[in-house]
Amino acid sequence: MKILITGFDPFGGEIINPSYEAVKLLLDVVSGAEIIKAEIPTVRGKALEVVKSKIEECNPDAVICVGQAGGANAVRIERIAINLDDYRFPDNEGNQPIDEPIYADGPNAYFSTLPIKAIRDAIIEKGIAAEVSNSAGLFVCNHVFYSIRHLCETRFRERNIISGFIHVPFIPEQTVDKPNEPSMPLEDIVTALKTAVEVIVANHE
């Protein structure tokens, strides 16, 4: 089994993004699955192109996109992506769409095809806070989540790729100047992602 896991580069004035920092620390093989890692830009459109090219190159069985959710106090396994870009602030190249569809001909929403509740429960069993989230926001994370689900249902439909999105909190070094913001140790985030992979592999067998 091959699993593509992506994380974003820093954005919004941060100098680090825990999503890709955690992805980088995953082993290359988890529960027998080959882990393919990629950093994607926090840029509308370009992020999708990177993920699409990696899918075409590696032909994975599953895709997990991981993003930063500042203010979150738990790992959030996202349930749904909506067909809307509505950015509160610009992405890393200054794009700031307001109330624009991601795909003009796409459905209003897609659900994750990952075993989201099993992933949540397994992460909690490891002593790490986790929850199922019903909103991936309206920024580049939702853009990528929706776009990957759309590709898996259209262009890559015959490959039967399961896909979804996980948000992770800030790590402690990001909150030194934000004393009221929650954070989570990077090693716990890595464990959570490893656990997600283990659940996906177990459900795939």
Coordinates of all heavy atoms in Angstrom, one line a residue, residues 119-192:
I119 N -10.1 6.8 13.0 CA -8.9 7.5 13.2 C -9.0 8.3 14.5 O -8.0 8.3 15.3 CB -8.6 8.4 12.0 CG1 -8.2 7.6 10.8 CG2 -7.5 9.4 12.3 CD1 -8.2 8.3 9.5
R120 N -10.1 9.0 14.7 CA -10.2 9.8 15.9 C -10.1 9.0 17.2 O -9.3 9.3 18.1 CB -11.6 10.5 15.9 CG -11.9 11.3 17.2 CD -13.4 11.5 17.3 NE -14.1 10.2 17.4 CZ -15.4 10.1 17.3 NH1 -16.2 11.1 17.2 NH2 -16.0 8.9 17.4
D121 N -10.8 7.8 17.2 CA -10.8 7.0 18.4 C -9.4 6.4 18.6 O -9.0 6.3 19.8 CB -11.8 5.8 18.2 CG -13.3 6.3 18.1 OD1 -13.5 7.5 18.5 OD2 -14.1 5.5 17.7
A122 N -8.7 6.0 17.6 CA -7.4 5.5 17.8 C -6.4 6.5 18.3 O -5.5 6.2 19.1 CB -6.9 4.9 16.5
I123 N -6.5 7.7 17.8 CA -5.6 8.8 18.3 C -5.9 9.1 19.8 O -5.0 9.2 20.6 CB -5.8 10.1 17.5 CG1 -5.3 9.8 16.0 CG2 -5.0 11.3 18.1 CD1 -5.6 11.0 15.1
I124 N -7.2 9.1 20.2 CA -7.6 9.4 21.6 C -7.0 8.3 22.4 O -6.6 8.5 23.6 CB -9.1 9.5 21.7 CG1 -9.6 10.8 21.0 CG2 -9.5 9.5 23.2 CD1 -11.1 11.0 21.0
E125 N -7.1 7.0 21.9 CA -6.5 5.9 22.7 C -5.0 6.1 23.0 O -4.5 5.5 24.0 CB -6.8 4.6 22.0 CG -8.2 4.1 22.0 CD -8.5 2.8 21.2 OE1 -7.5 2.3 20.7 OE2 -9.6 2.4 21.1
K126 N -4.3 6.8 22.2 CA -2.9 7.1 22.4 C -2.7 8.2 23.4 O -1.6 8.7 23.7 CB -2.2 7.4 21.1 CG -2.2 6.3 20.1 CD -1.2 5.2 20.4 CE -1.3 4.1 19.4 NZ -0.7 4.4 18.1
G127 N -3.8 8.8 23.9 CA -3.7 9.9 24.9 C -3.6 11.2 24.3 O -3.1 12.2 25.0
I128 N -3.9 11.4 23.0 CA -3.8 12.6 22.3 C -5.2 13.1 21.9 O -6.0 12.4 21.5 CB -3.0 12.4 21.0 CG1 -1.6 12.0 21.4 CG2 -2.9 13.7 20.2 CD1 -0.7 11.4 20.2
A129 N -5.4 14.4 22.2 CA -6.8 15.0 21.9 C -7.0 14.9 20.4 O -6.2 15.3 19.6 CB -6.8 16.4 22.4
A130 N -8.2 14.5 20.0 CA -8.6 14.4 18.6 C -10.1 14.5 18.6 O -10.9 14.1 19.5 CB -8.2 13.1 18.0
E131 N -10.6 15.0 17.4 CA -12.0 15.2 17.2 C -12.3 15.1 15.7 O -11.5 15.4 14.9 CB -12.5 16.5 17.8 CG -11.9 17.7 17.2 CD -12.2 19.0 17.9 OE1 -12.7 18.9 19.1 OE2 -12.0 20.1 17.3
V132 N -13.6 14.8 15.4 CA -14.1 14.9 14.0 C -14.6 16.4 13.9 O -15.3 16.9 14.7 CB -15.2 13.9 13.7 CG1 -15.9 14.2 12.4 CG2 -14.6 12.5 13.7
S133 N -14.1 17.0 12.8 CA -14.5 18.4 12.6 C -15.4 18.5 11.3 O -15.2 17.8 10.4 CB -13.2 19.3 12.3 OG -13.5 20.5 11.8
N134 N -16.4 19.3 11.4 CA -17.3 19.5 10.3 C -17.1 20.7 9.4 O -17.9 21.1 8.6 CB -18.8 19.5 10.8 CG -19.1 18.2 11.4 OD1 -18.9 17.1 10.8 ND2 -19.7 18.2 12.6
S135 N -15.9 21.4 9.6 CA -15.6 22.5 8.8 C -14.1 22.6 8.7 O -13.4 22.8 9.7 CB -16.1 23.8 9.4 OG -15.7 24.9 8.6
A136 N -13.6 22.6 7.4 CA -12.2 22.7 7.2 C -11.8 24.2 6.8 O -10.7 24.5 6.3 CB -11.8 21.8 6.0
G137 N -12.8 25.1 7.1 CA -12.5 26.5 6.9 C -12.8 26.8 5.4 O -13.4 26.1 4.7
L138 N -12.3 28.0 5.0 CA -12.5 28.5 3.6 C -11.3 29.0 3.0 O -11.3 29.7 2.0 CB -13.6 29.6 3.6 CG -15.0 29.2 4.1 CD1 -15.9 30.4 4.3 CD2 -15.6 28.2 3.1
F139 N -10.1 28.6 3.6 CA -8.8 29.0 3.1 C -8.2 27.9 2.2 O -8.9 27.0 1.7 CB -7.9 29.3 4.3 CG -6.7 30.1 3.9 CD1 -6.7 31.3 3.2 CD2 -5.5 29.7 4.4 CE1 -5.5 32.0 2.9 CE2 -4.3 30.4 4.2 CZ -4.3 31.5 3.4
V140 N -6.9 27.8 2.1 CA -6.3 26.9 1.2 C -6.4 25.5 1.6 O -6.5 24.5 0.8 CB -4.8 27.3 1.0 CG1 -4.1 26.3 -0.1 CG2 -4.6 28.7 0.5
C141 N -6.6 25.2 2.9 CA -6.8 23.8 3.4 C -8.1 23.3 2.8 O -8.1 22.2 2.2 CB -6.8 23.8 4.9 SG -5.2 24.1 5.7
N142 N -9.2 24.0 2.9 CA -10.4 23.5 2.3 C -10.3 23.4 0.8 O -10.8 22.5 0.2 CB -11.5 24.5 2.7 CG -12.9 24.1 2.1 OD1 -13.5 23.1 2.4 ND2 -13.3 24.8 1.0
H143 N -9.6 24.4 0.2 CA -9.4 24.4 -1.2 C -8.7 23.1 -1.7 O -9.2 22.4 -2.6 CB -8.5 25.6 -1.6 CG -8.2 25.7 -3.1 ND1 -9.0 26.4 -4.0 CD2 -7.2 25.1 -3.8 CE1 -8.5 26.3 -5.2 NE2 -7.4 25.5 -5.1
V144 N -7.7 22.7 -1.0 CA -7.0 21.4 -1.3 C -7.8 20.2 -1.0 O -7.9 19.3 -1.8 CB -5.6 21.4 -0.6 CG1 -5.0 20.0 -0.7 CG2 -4.7 22.4 -1.1
F145 N -8.5 20.2 0.1 CA -9.3 19.1 0.5 C -10.4 18.9 -0.5 O -10.6 17.7 -1.0 CB -9.9 19.4 1.9 CG -10.8 18.3 2.5 CD1 -10.8 17.0 2.0 CD2 -11.6 18.7 3.6 CE1 -11.7 16.1 2.6 CE2 -12.4 17.7 4.2 CZ -12.4 16.4 3.7
Y146 N -11.1 19.9 -0.9 CA -12.2 19.8 -1.9 C -11.6 19.3 -3.2 O -12.2 18.4 -3.9 CB -12.9 21.1 -2.1 CG -14.1 21.0 -3.1 CD1 -15.4 20.7 -2.6 CD2 -13.9 21.1 -4.4 CE1 -16.4 20.5 -3.5 CE2 -14.9 21.0 -5.3 CZ -16.2 20.7 -4.9 OH -17.2 20.5 -5.8
S147 N -10.5 20.0 -3.6 CA -9.9 19.7 -5.0 C -9.5 18.2 -5.1 O -9.7 17.6 -6.1 CB -8.8 20.6 -5.2 OG -9.2 22.0 -5.3
I148 N -8.8 17.7 -4.0 CA -8.4 16.3 -4.0 C -9.5 15.4 -4.1 O -9.5 14.4 -4.8 CB -7.5 16.0 -2.8 CG1 -6.2 16.9 -2.9 CG2 -7.1 14.6 -2.7 CD1 -5.4 16.7 -4.2
R149 N -10.6 15.6 -3.3 CA -11.7 14.8 -3.4 C -12.4 14.8 -4.8 O -12.8 13.8 -5.3 CB -12.8 15.2 -2.3 CG -12.3 14.9 -0.9 CD -12.3 13.4 -0.6 NE -13.6 12.8 -0.9 CZ -13.8 11.9 -1.8 NH1 -12.7 11.5 -2.6 NH2 -15.0 11.4 -2.0
H150 N -12.4 16.0 -5.4 CA -13.0 16.1 -6.7 C -12.2 15.3 -7.7 O -12.7 14.6 -8.5 CB -13.0 17.6 -7.1 CG -13.7 17.9 -8.4 ND1 -15.1 17.7 -8.6 CD2 -13.2 18.3 -9.6 CE1 -15.4 18.0 -9.8 NE2 -14.3 18.4 -10.5
L151 N -10.9 15.4 -7.6 CA -10.0 14.7 -8.5 C -10.2 13.2 -8.3 O -10.2 12.4 -9.3 CB -8.5 15.0 -8.3 CG -8.1 16.4 -8.9 CD1 -6.7 16.7 -8.5 CD2 -8.2 16.5 -10.4
C152 N -10.3 12.7 -7.1 CA -10.5 11.3 -6.8 C -11.8 10.8 -7.3 O -12.0 9.6 -7.6 CB -10.3 11.0 -5.3 SG -8.6 11.2 -4.7
E153 N -12.8 11.7 -7.4 CA -14.1 11.3 -7.9 C -14.2 11.5 -9.4 O -15.2 11.0 -10.0 CB -15.2 12.1 -7.2 CG -15.3 11.8 -5.7 CD -15.7 10.4 -5.4 OE1 -16.4 9.8 -6.2 OE2 -15.3 9.9 -4.3
T154 N -13.3 12.1 -10.1 CA -13.4 12.4 -11.5 C -12.2 11.8 -12.2 O -12.2 10.7 -12.7 CB -13.5 13.9 -11.8 OG1 -12.5 14.6 -11.1 CG2 -14.9 14.4 -11.2
R155 N -11.1 12.6 -12.3 CA -9.9 12.2 -13.1 C -9.3 10.9 -12.6 O -8.9 10.1 -13.4 CB -8.9 13.3 -12.9 CG -7.6 13.1 -13.7 CD -6.6 14.2 -13.4 NE -5.4 14.0 -14.2 CZ -5.0 14.9 -15.1 NH1 -5.7 15.9 -15.4 NH2 -3.8 14.7 -15.7
F156 N -9.3 10.6 -11.3 CA -8.6 9.4 -10.8 C -9.6 8.4 -10.3 O -9.3 7.5 -9.5 CB -7.7 9.8 -9.6 CG -6.6 10.7 -10.0 CD1 -6.4 11.9 -9.3 CD2 -5.8 10.5 -11.1 CE1 -5.4 12.8 -9.6 CE2 -4.8 11.4 -11.5 CZ -4.5 12.5 -10.7
R157 N -10.9 8.5 -10.7 CA -11.9 7.7 -10.2 C -11.6 6.2 -10.2 O -11.9 5.4 -9.3 CB -13.3 7.9 -10.9 CG -14.5 7.2 -10.3 CD -15.8 7.7 -10.8 NE -16.9 7.0 -10.2 CZ -17.4 7.3 -9.1 NH1 -17.0 8.4 -8.5 NH2 -18.5 6.7 -8.6
E158 N -11.1 5.7 -11.4 CA -10.8 4.3 -11.5 C -9.7 3.8 -10.6 O -9.6 2.6 -10.5 CB -10.4 4.0 -13.0 CG -11.6 4.3 -14.0 CD -11.2 3.9 -15.4 OE1 -10.1 3.5 -15.7 OE2 -12.1 4.1 -16.3
R159 N -9.0 4.7 -10.0 CA -7.9 4.2 -9.1 C -8.4 3.9 -7.7 O -7.6 3.3 -6.9 CB -6.8 5.3 -9.1 CG -6.2 5.6 -10.4 CD -4.9 6.5 -10.2 NE -4.4 7.0 -11.5 CZ -3.3 7.7 -11.7 NH1 -2.5 7.9 -10.6 NH2 -2.9 8.1 -12.9
N160 N -9.6 4.3 -7.4 CA -10.2 4.0 -6.1 C -9.3 4.5 -4.9 O -9.1 3.9 -3.9 CB -10.5 2.5 -5.9 CG -11.5 2.0 -6.9 OD1 -12.5 2.6 -7.1 ND2 -11.2 0.9 -7.5
I161 N -8.9 5.8 -5.1 CA -8.0 6.4 -4.0 C -8.9 7.0 -2.9 O -9.9 7.7 -3.2 CB -7.2 7.5 -4.6 CG1 -6.3 7.0 -5.8 CG2 -6.3 8.2 -3.5 CD1 -5.6 8.1 -6.6
I162 N -8.6 6.6 -1.7 CA -9.4 7.3 -0.6 C -8.6 8.5 -0.2 O -7.3 8.6 -0.3 CB -9.6 6.3 0.6 CG1 -8.2 5.9 1.2 CG2 -10.4 5.1 0.2 CD1 -8.4 5.1 2.5
S163 N -9.3 9.5 0.3 CA -8.6 10.8 0.5 C -9.4 11.6 1.6 O -10.6 11.5 1.8 CB -8.5 11.6 -0.7 OG -9.7 11.8 -1.4
G164 N -8.6 12.4 2.3 CA -9.2 13.3 3.3 C -8.2 14.3 3.8 O -7.1 14.4 3.3
F165 N -8.6 15.0 4.9 CA -7.8 16.1 5.4 C -7.8 16.0 6.9 O -8.8 15.7 7.6 CB -8.4 17.4 5.0 CG -7.4 18.6 5.1 CD1 -6.7 19.0 4.0 CD2 -7.2 19.2 6.3 CE1 -5.8 20.1 4.1 CE2 -6.3 20.3 6.4 CZ -5.6 20.7 5.3
I166 N -6.6 16.3 7.5 CA -6.4 16.4 8.9 C -5.8 17.7 9.3 O -4.8 18.1 8.7 CB -5.5 15.3 9.5 CG1 -6.2 13.9 9.2 CG2 -5.2 15.4 10.9 CD1 -5.3 12.7 9.6
H167 N -6.4 18.5 10.2 CA -5.8 19.7 10.7 C -5.1 19.4 12.1 O -5.6 18.6 12.9 CB -6.9 20.7 11.0 CG -7.2 21.7 9.9 ND1 -8.4 21.8 9.3 CD2 -6.3 22.5 9.3 CE1 -8.3 22.7 8.3 NE2 -7.1 23.2 8.3
V168 N -4.0 20.1 12.3 CA -3.2 19.9 13.5 C -3.0 21.3 14.2 O -3.0 22.3 13.5 CB -1.9 19.3 13.2 CG1 -2.1 17.9 12.6 CG2 -1.0 20.1 12.3
P169 N -2.9 21.3 15.5 CA -2.7 22.6 16.2 C -1.3 23.2 16.0 O -0.4 22.6 15.4 CB -2.9 22.2 17.7 CG -3.5 20.9 17.7 CD -3.0 20.2 16.4
F170 N -1.2 24.4 16.5 CA 0.2 25.0 16.6 C 1.0 24.1 17.4 O 0.5 23.3 18.3 CB 0.1 26.4 17.3 CG -0.4 27.5 16.5 CD1 -1.2 28.5 17.1 CD2 -0.1 27.7 15.2 CE1 -1.7 29.6 16.4 CE2 -0.5 28.8 14.5 CZ -1.3 29.7 15.1
I171 N 2.4 24.2 17.3 CA 3.3 23.6 18.2 C 3.8 24.7 19.2 O 3.6 25.8 18.9 CB 4.5 22.9 17.4 CG1 5.2 23.8 16.5 CG2 4.0 21.6 16.7 CD1 6.3 23.2 15.7
P172 N 4.3 24.3 20.3 CA 4.6 25.3 21.4 C 5.4 26.4 21.0 O 5.2 27.6 21.4 CB 5.3 24.4 22.5 CG 4.7 23.1 22.3 CD 4.5 22.9 20.8
E173 N 6.4 26.2 20.1 CA 7.3 27.4 19.7 C 6.5 28.4 18.9 O 7.0 29.6 18.8 CB 8.5 26.9 19.0 CG 8.3 25.9 17.9 CD 8.5 24.5 18.3 OE1 7.9 24.1 19.3 OE2 9.3 23.8 17.6
Q174 N 5.4 28.1 18.4 CA 4.6 29.1 17.7 C 3.8 30.0 18.6 O 3.2 31.0 18.2 CB 3.7 28.4 16.7 CG 4.4 27.7 15.5 CD 3.3 27.1 14.6 OE1 2.9 26.0 14.9 NE2 3.0 27.7 13.5
T175 N 3.6 29.5 19.9 CA 2.7 30.3 20.8 C 3.5 31.1 21.8 O 2.9 31.6 22.8 CB 1.8 29.3 21.4 OG1 2.5 28.3 22.2 CG2 0.9 28.6 20.4
V176 N 4.8 31.2 21.7 CA 5.6 32.0 22.6 C 5.0 33.4 22.7 O 5.0 34.0 23.8 CB 7.1 32.0 22.2 CG1 7.8 33.0 23.1 CG2 7.6 30.6 22.4
D177 N 4.7 34.0 21.5 CA 4.1 35.3 21.5 C 2.6 35.3 21.4 O 2.0 36.3 21.2 CB 4.7 36.1 20.3 CG 4.4 35.4 19.0 OD1 3.9 34.3 19.0 OD2 4.5 36.1 17.9
K178 N 2.0 34.1 21.7 CA 0.5 34.0 21.7 C 0.1 33.2 22.9 O -0.3 32.1 22.8 CB 0.0 33.3 20.4 CG 0.6 33.8 19.1 CD 0.0 32.9 17.9 CE 0.8 33.2 16.6 NZ 2.1 32.7 16.6
P179 N 0.3 33.8 24.1 CA 0.1 33.1 25.3 C -1.2 32.4 25.6 O -1.4 31.5 26.4 CB 0.5 34.1 26.4 CG 0.2 35.4 25.8 CD 0.6 35.2 24.3
N180 N -2.3 32.9 24.9 CA -3.6 32.4 25.1 C -4.0 31.3 24.0 O -5.1 30.8 24.1 CB -4.6 33.5 25.1 CG -4.4 34.4 26.2 OD1 -4.1 34.0 27.4 ND2 -4.6 35.7 26.0
E181 N -3.1 31.0 23.1 CA -3.4 30.0 22.1 C -2.9 28.6 22.5 O -1.9 28.5 23.1 CB -2.6 30.4 20.8 CG -3.1 31.6 20.1 CD -4.4 31.4 19.3 OE1 -4.9 30.3 19.3 OE2 -4.8 32.4 18.6
P182 N -3.8 27.6 22.3 CA -3.4 26.3 22.6 C -2.3 25.8 21.6 O -2.2 26.3 20.5 CB -4.7 25.5 22.4 CG -5.5 26.3 21.5 CD -5.1 27.7 21.7
S183 N -1.6 24.7 22.0 CA -0.6 24.1 21.2 C -0.5 22.6 21.5 O -1.1 22.2 22.5 CB 0.7 24.8 21.4 OG 1.2 24.6 22.7
M184 N 0.2 21.9 20.7 CA 0.4 20.5 20.9 C 1.9 20.1 20.6 O 2.4 20.6 19.6 CB -0.5 19.7 20.0 CG -0.4 18.2 20.2 SD -1.6 17.3 19.1 CE -3.1 17.6 20.1
P185 N 2.5 19.3 21.4 CA 3.9 18.9 21.1 C 4.0 18.3 19.7 O 3.1 17.5 19.3 CB 4.3 18.0 22.2 CG 3.4 18.3 23.3 CD 2.1 18.7 22.7
L186 N 5.1 18.6 19.0 CA 5.2 18.0 17.6 C 5.2 16.5 17.7 O 4.7 15.9 16.8 CB 6.5 18.6 17.0 CG 6.9 18.1 15.6 CD1 5.8 18.6 14.6 CD2 8.2 18.7 15.1
E187 N 5.8 15.9 18.7 CA 5.9 14.5 18.7 C 4.5 13.8 18.9 O 4.2 12.8 18.3 CB 6.8 14.0 19.9 CG 6.4 14.5 21.2 CD 7.2 15.7 21.7 OE1 7.5 16.6 20.8 OE2 7.5 15.9 22.9
D188 N 3.6 14.6 19.5 CA 2.2 14.1 19.6 C 1.5 14.2 18.2 O 0.7 13.3 17.9 CB 1.4 14.9 20.6 CG 1.7 14.5 22.0 OD1 2.6 13.6 22.2 OD2 1.2 15.1 23.0
I189 N 1.8 15.2 17.5 CA 1.2 15.3 16.1 C 1.7 14.2 15.2 O 1.0 13.6 14.5 CB 1.5 16.7 15.6 CG1 0.9 17.8 16.4 CG2 1.1 16.8 14.1 CD1 1.2 19.2 16.0
V190 N 3.0 13.9 15.3 CA 3.6 12.8 14.6 C 2.9 11.5 14.9 O 2.6 10.7 14.0 CB 5.1 12.7 14.8 CG1 5.7 11.5 14.0 CG2 5.8 14.0 14.3
T191 N 2.8 11.3 16.2 CA 2.1 10.0 16.7 C 0.7 10.0 16.1 O 0.2 8.9 15.7 CB 2.1 10.0 18.2 OG1 3.4 9.9 18.7 CG2 1.3 8.7 18.7
A192 N 0.0 11.1 16.1 CA -1.4 11.1 15.6 C -1.4 10.8 14.1 O -2.3 10.0 13.7 CB -2.0 12.5 15.8

